[in-house]
Amino acid sequence: MNYYHKNLSNGKWNDFSFSEQMANVGSEISRALNWKNKSNLDYSKKAFERGLELLDFTISDLKNKNKLKELSRLREVLADYFYFD
């Protein structure tokens, strides 16, 4: 699998607190929204994919298992907005 965040894919992401994880996800999604508003769909798609990757890392982090329902719903809503809107 090809990762955007190669240095985080080895488990280092799990060292971050939940708040830090979500702040990083939010930064990428914010970039994706900004690029979408500027009609640069290529940059928007890349930023969204990076955000989705970080969200997937967050979902797979065992310390967040009690937030799985909300995180999965967030992933679903974001995918719907960026891919199907």
Side-chain angles (χ1 to χ4, degrees):
M1 177 174 221
N2 244 349
Y3 290 108
Y4 287 104
H5 301 93
K6 291 174 181 46
N7 59 334
L8 297 176
S9 64
N10 62 4
K12 187 176 185 320
W13 184 253
N14 298 346
D15 295 339
F16 294 156
S17 70
F18 179 71
S19 297
E20 291 171 318
Q21 290 175 345
M22 292 308 295
N24 281 282
V25 171
S27 292
E28 290 293 354
I29 298 303
S30 177
R31 286 184 191 97
L33 290 168
N34 287 335
W35 285 118
K36 187 173 182 177
N37 290 336
K38 293 178 181 179
S39 298
N40 190 330
L41 299 182
D42 184 48
Y43 280 14
S44 177
K45 180 182 176 196
K46 289 178 183 176
F48 172 67
E49 288 174 354
R50 290 190 306 267
L52 202 60
E53 179 182 76
L54 294 178
L55 185 56
D56 287 343
F57 291 161
T58 303
I59 289 170
S60 65
D61 186 349
L62 293 178
K63 75 172 167 285
N64 301 326
K65 66 182 176 188
N66 60 336
K67 300 172 181 78
L68 189 58
K69 182 178 178 181
E70 292 85 358
L71 292 170
S72 298
R73 180 59 56 115
L74 173 62
R75 189 183 197 287
E76 178 184 341
V77 168
L78 290 172
D80 183 55
Y81 179 79
F82 281 98
Y83 285 131
F84 300 107
D85 188 27

